[in-house]
Amino acid sequence: MSAMPCAPAERGILIVGLGLIGGSLAAALKASGYRGRIVACDCDADEVARGIDMGLIDDGGTQLAPWVAESSLIVLAVPVLAMEDVLRTLAPRLDAQVVTDVGSTKSAIEAAVVRVFGHLPPRFVLGHPIAGSEKNGVAAADASLYRQHKVILTPREDTDPDALARVRALWAACGAQLLEMTPERHDQVLARTSHLPHLLAFSLVDTLARQDERLDIFRYAAGGFRDFTRIAGSDPVMWRDIFSANRDAVLGALDEFEAGVARLRRAVTEGDGDAMLAVFDRASHARQYFDTLLNQTSYQAMEQRNIRYRVSPGGAVRGQIRVPGDKSISHRSIMLGALADGVTEVHGFLEGEDSLATLQAFREMGVAIEGPHHGRVTIHGVGLHGLTAPAGPLYVGNSGTAMRLFAGLLAGQAFDTELTGDVSLNKRPMGRIADPLREMGAVIETAEGGRPPLTIRGGQALSGIRYDMPMASAQVKSCLLLAGLYAEGETRVREPAPTRDHTERMLNGFGYPVQRDGDEAWLQGGGRLAASPIDVPSDISSATFFLVAAAITPGSDLLLEHVGINPTRIGVINILQAMGADLTLQEPREVGGEPVADIRIRYAPLKGIDIPTDQVPLAIDEFPALFVAAANAEGVTRLRGAEELRVKESDRIQAMADGLTTLGVDNTVYPDGIDIVGRASADETPAAHYRGGQVDSLGDHRIAMAFAVAALRASDEIVIDDCANVATSFPGFVDLARRVGLVLDEQEVS
Ligand code: S3P
């Protein structure tokens, strides 16, 4: 809920031009509780009389002069081309008043002010409310016209801060959202988002109207025509003025549009279905993305939401479920599919926010991608050298994997790119990939401390290197192998411990040989990828939350279907089994180069263990849930050699330690690990192992899900804050958790 706007502290407000815009401003100010006088001047005496009758203004007339002295703030709401005459009348009468305007173009109005005054007076704050309607005149005034709408102000460096604050207060009182930019940028932005669409609508209707005399086509025009041309009903005089005043920016926008139409025309002429699909698909998804922004449901919008889980103590864990597709493999399927020659069909794709961001980024680089529809994605590969420069920065959400793998493959492109992510990702270290990429000849700039955003300069000749990784990281290894596709010679990476090998497996599956010998993987640059179908197994990292849920809850019996059990990912299985879990793999099989099985798990008492260090990289994402298993075991569980946990989506050692302490579980934190004192006892009588409480997930999806599972053995409710990011890796977590027997309530808090 937005707070009630508060009325501006002006002595009196003069509105020059009492049409829809000026009248709505007066109405909104009255509604905000403004008690000062509002007067208006308009060349039409009837409009002024109507404004007084409607109670919008206190007084007014057709002459400007009488009203200037009694006002402390003046709003110019006359058509753009009438502005200069009004300014000439105003100039000799101005004293200390603040002046603002509502014109749809800003550079032309600023130029008019400078012609009249010789400079832009510091008490002038030009502005533009992005709101309107096809209706005209004060009779259509609407007190809510500006509520939740944007108002752009275009102050200059020497604008008086007090004047700016007062104009901001004026619009804030109307419920508007304020933005600031230069007049030039305003005109460029509006030329594209408002002026060009109006020009096209006017032109289309006029073109068809001429033909209509011969063909009578309006009688058959349907919804598409109506939707596209609604704005052609707007005020012709106003729009003539806008196009005259914003000529250069509109012509620039029109040039871009004509080039786009020419590209499509060529595709239609040549019957180039792929080119058409690329444009339509990008446009269709861009339109949906725009919708989600408007509806506040996109991931970027969700970042500002606080989703809270309330998980009741106790519950059961029984049934047969399939968790969503593997995140690591989903990212890679889009990347390699896009760089392959031919069409790649993906099944089981994870429709989480992170992998969707990867998919969108490739669309922005000219790749036609259909879907996802229930996990099916069709990628029309463009070949290793077929990507095109995106129009702006590529946004990869919460995903370290996406940013690091993208950096590798973008280092080899002919064009520049910028990679950016959400607040959490923008804190994570990127030097680990930027340094070796630079050794290969890449040119990469990072923000301070080697953090995102990354700016990657295109057109560099890369050469293969032999790299000894200082940490066990599949992301670093994959980044370098992807850069190696574009490098001269051989790119070789040595890992200090085995890490997930999905990149190597998938490259081989796409006919691009990656060799391995011991702890080294390598490839030769300059080959090509051939499209190949991909079946994404369920994500063992998502399955882990339910494995732990069943492992700690007496009476549980759960079957998890089609889970990926790649040997570089099964640390969690090995660790749980070592702790005494009753876990069996059923029907092991291989799909598309990745081993898969159904996993059955039933309750059995757990005991604390020293986690073998060779299992750490194989279970790196599973520790938040494994810490919950440790809290429910008998005896102490010790983890060392896991300093990488400190640079995940949160510092996972500290985040889990804090939450466990809240629940009353003793633990000791070390730089590279933790000791957790398990709360189970040999006789296993108590239902609850610890208390409930309120914990903060710090926006980390895996911390949120781990504490949800912990509630199964708590004595009271566990409340978990900041859970929106669960959607990055596990869409549908809440529904599946409820289905197996957790009692979980999801709420949005302000
Ligand atoms: C991933 C590698 C791991 C893992 C991440 C996914 C990948 O990161 O934590 O969730 O897909 O390559 P590091 O390589 O940084 O260990």
Side-chain angles (χ1 to χ4, degrees):
M1 283 298 291
S2 54
M4 268 305 286
C6 77
E10 297 297 334
R11 176 163 49 84
I13 295 174
L14 165 60
I15 297 173
V16 186
L18 195 65
L20 169 77
I21 296 293
S24 297
L25 175 60
L29 289 171
K30 290 279 181 199
S32 78
Y34 177 63
R35 296 277 167 263
R37 262 166 72 82
I38 303 178
V39 295
C41 149
D42 194 284
C43 54
D44 184 343
D46 290 344
E47 288 290 86
V48 176
R50 197 168 293 124
I52 296 172
D53 282 352
M54 290 168 72
L56 303 180
I57 55 172
D58 299 299
D59 207 347
T62 54
Q63 298 300 310
L64 181 55
W67 313 104
V68 177
E70 70 168 77
S71 310
S72 56
L73 189 146
I74 301 172
V75 184
L76 307 179
V78 296
V80 172
L81 294 191
M83 210 63 93
E84 190 160 340
D85 284 346
V86 171
L87 289 166
R88 285 194 195 287
T89 315
L90 197 59
R93 297 173 175 84
L94 271 185
D95 179 13
Q97 290 90 345
V98 170
V99 181
T100 186
D101 80 314
V102 299
S104 308
T105 70
K106 296 276 58 98
S107 304
I109 294 178
E110 193 182 80
V113 176
V114 172
R115 277 196 297 278
V116 173
F117 291 86
H119 66 292
L120 181 68
R123 301 186 75 71
F124 271 61
V125 183
L126 301 184
H128 176 202
I130 315 289
S133 131
E134 303 89 36
K135 298 183 198 139
N136 296 318
V138 70
D142 171 5
S144 64
L145 187 67
Y146 305 112
R147 187 167 291 275
Q148 305 291 335
H149 277 69
K150 298 198 166 51
V151 172
I152 300 175
L153 301 182
T154 60
R156 291 292 191 188
E157 260 174 21
D158 53 358
T159 298
D160 177 357
D162 167 64
L164 178 58
R166 283 165 56 187
V167 174
R168 291 186 71 96
L170 175 84
W171 289 111
C174 304
Q177 299 162 344
L178 283 143
L179 296 175
E180 286 179 23
M181 59 181 75
T182 62
E184 295 75 20
R185 172 140 175 86
H186 167 276
D187 290 354
Q188 291 292 342
V189 169
L190 269 287
R192 283 160 184 79
T193 55
S194 168
H195 307 172
L196 181 64
H198 277 85
L199 188 109
L200 300 182
F202 283 130
S203 169
L204 179 67
V205 176
D206 177 52
T207 307
L208 293 186
R210 287 164 195 247
Q211 294 177 4
D212 197 46
E213 289 158 20
R214 285 175 284 128
L215 297 175
D216 203 15
I217 50 183
F218 281 139
R219 284 215 278 150
Y220 309 107
F225 176 80
R226 192 180 53 230
D227 290 349
F228 188 85
T229 58
R230 177 180 62 79
I231 50 180
S234 305
D235 180 358
V237 174
M238 180 175 110
W239 282 98
R240 179 207 56 197
D241 287 7
I242 289 173
F243 287 117
S244 309
N246 201 21
R247 197 186 77 143
D248 292 347
V250 170
L251 290 179
L254 200 52
D255 284 345
E256 289 161 12
F257 180 76
E258 282 176 353
V261 171
R263 273 196 300 276
L264 260 183
R265 186 190 174 91
R266 215 164 29 245
V268 175
T269 310
E270 293 165 5
D272 185 347
D274 275 357
M276 285 186 247
L277 196 60
V279 174
F280 299 157
D281 215 51
R282 246 187 346 261
S284 153
H285 284 87
R287 183 66 180 78
Q288 284 166 21
Y289 177 64
F290 174 63
D291 260 353
T292 57
L293 278 186
L294 290 181
N295 300 333
Q296 294 278 297
T297 55
S298 86
Y299 177 58
Q300 275 167 292
M302 268 169 48
E303 265 193 76
Q304 289 123 37
R305 295 170 67 202
N306 182 5
I307 301 290
R308 173 179 288 165
Y309 290 169
R310 306 189 82 99
V311 199
S312 301
V317 186
R318 301 185 74 82
Q320 182 167 341
I321 56 171
R322 183 168 174 153
V323 301
D326 188 279
K327 186 149 86 98
S328 295
I329 300 177
S330 294
H331 281 302
R332 287 158 171 87
S333 70
I334 300 294
M335 294 177 181
L336 298 197
L339 298 177
D341 294 314
V343 177
T344 294
E345 295 280 353
V346 184
H347 287 260
F349 179 77
L350 168 67
E351 296 184 33
E353 302 285 354
D354 277 357
S355 34
L356 291 173
T358 290
L359 194 151
Q360 181 62 24
F362 276 97
R363 285 195 173 118
E364 286 168 33
M365 291 189 285
V367 182
I369 304 176
E370 298 168 63
H373 305 295
H374 303 296
R376 287 192 54 182
V377 179
T378 306
I379 308 158
H380 297 257
V382 295
L384 271 178
H385 299 281
L387 298 178
T388 53
L394 297 172
Y395 176 79
V396 295
N398 190 244
S399 175
T401 304
M403 183 162 285
R404 293 180 179 133
L405 271 58
F406 266 114
L409 67 90
L410 292 174
Q413 303 303 320
F415 48 84
D416 295 353
T417 35
E418 187 183 329
L419 282 170
T420 148
D422 71 2
V423 184
S424 147
L425 182 57
N426 284 339
K427 290 184 198 146
R428 295 179 65 187
M430 293 298 147
R432 56 178 59 196
I433 48 113
D435 293 342
L437 285 174
R438 287 178 188 132
E439 269 183 54
M440 294 178 77
V443 177
I444 300 186
E445 290 147 34
T446 64
E448 218 183 299
R451 315 277 155 191
L454 301 181
T455 305
I456 301 171
R457 301 278 166 220
Q460 312 299 323
L462 304 185
S463 27
I465 55 166
R466 183 183 188 140
Y467 189 64
D468 216 341
M469 281 197 299
M471 74 290 285
S473 166
Q475 294 178 357
V476 176
K477 173 179 64 175
S478 302
C479 162
L480 299 181
L481 292 177
L482 292 177
L485 300 175
Y486 294 92
E488 178 80 33
E490 188 177 275
T491 300
R492 228 174 225 274
V493 188
R494 197 192 74 78
E495 47 189 8
T499 65
R500 66 192 68 191
D501 62 357
H502 305 302
T503 306
E504 297 94 300
R505 283 175 188 255
M506 206 182 282
L507 279 169
N508 280 321
F510 275 64
Y512 202 112
V514 185
Q515 326 274 338
R516 172 166 277 275
D517 186 15
D519 52 7
E520 282 194 354
W522 70 93
L523 54 70
Q524 292 282 339
R528 55 182 288 274
L529 301 175
S532 172
I534 296 173
D535 187 338
V536 183
S538 291
D539 197 329
I540 191 167
S541 301
S542 300
T544 291
F545 299 102
F546 293 112
L547 292 177
V548 170
I552 65 171
T553 310
S556 61
D557 186 354
L558 188 68
L559 189 73
L560 289 148
E561 299 168 4
H562 203 73
V563 182
I565 51 160
N566 181 312
T568 59
R569 297 283 297 278
I570 53 168
V572 60
I573 294 178
N574 299 335
I575 293 168
L576 281 176
Q577 283 177 332
M579 293 176 81
D582 177 0
L583 183 158
T584 48
L585 300 183
Q586 300 182 346
E587 292 188 42
R589 53 206 182 265
E590 192 166 301
V591 290
E594 289 281 350
V596 166
D598 301 331
I599 305 180
R600 181 164 186 199
I601 182 154
R602 281 171 289 193
Y603 172 74
L606 300 180
K607 57 182 191 309
I609 60 166
D610 287 357
I611 294 175
T613 37
D614 64 354
Q615 295 300 309
V616 172
L618 312 184
I620 193 69
D621 291 338
E622 284 62 82
F623 284 109
L626 284 170
F627 290 180
V628 171
N632 286 283
E634 186 193 347
V636 179
T637 296
R638 294 182 190 84
L639 172 69
R640 295 293 181 278
E643 56 275 20
E644 277 294 300
L645 290 181
R646 296 212 178 260
V647 289
K648 295 293 179 192
E649 285 84 329
S650 67
D651 173 346
R652 286 187 172 156
I653 295 177
Q654 197 58 52
M656 285 304 299
D658 291 345
L660 288 173
T661 303
T662 302
L663 304 185
V665 178
D666 284 342
N667 63 81
T668 311
V669 163
Y670 296 89
D672 64 340
I674 190 168
D675 287 353
I676 296 169
V677 183
R679 306 273 300 176
S681 56
D683 62 3
E684 245 325 302
T685 34
H689 282 154
Y690 34 75
R691 55 179 182 252
Q694 184 155 2
V695 298
D696 189 347
S697 84
L698 300 173
D700 184 331
H701 51 136
R702 299 201 198 281
I703 305 292
M705 291 185 275
F707 280 112
V709 165
L712 287 160
R713 298 304 299 267
S715 59
D716 294 295
E717 181 183 64
I718 298 186
V719 177
I720 310 156
D721 280 323
D722 208 359
C723 300
N725 278 349
V726 168
T728 62
S729 70
F730 201 153
F733 168 73
V734 170
D735 288 342
L736 270 189
R738 286 184 188 144
R739 213 164 91 199
V740 302
L742 272 84
V743 187
L744 197 169
D745 186 29
E746 185 182 25
Q747 324 176 314
E748 182 160 356
V749 290
S750 56

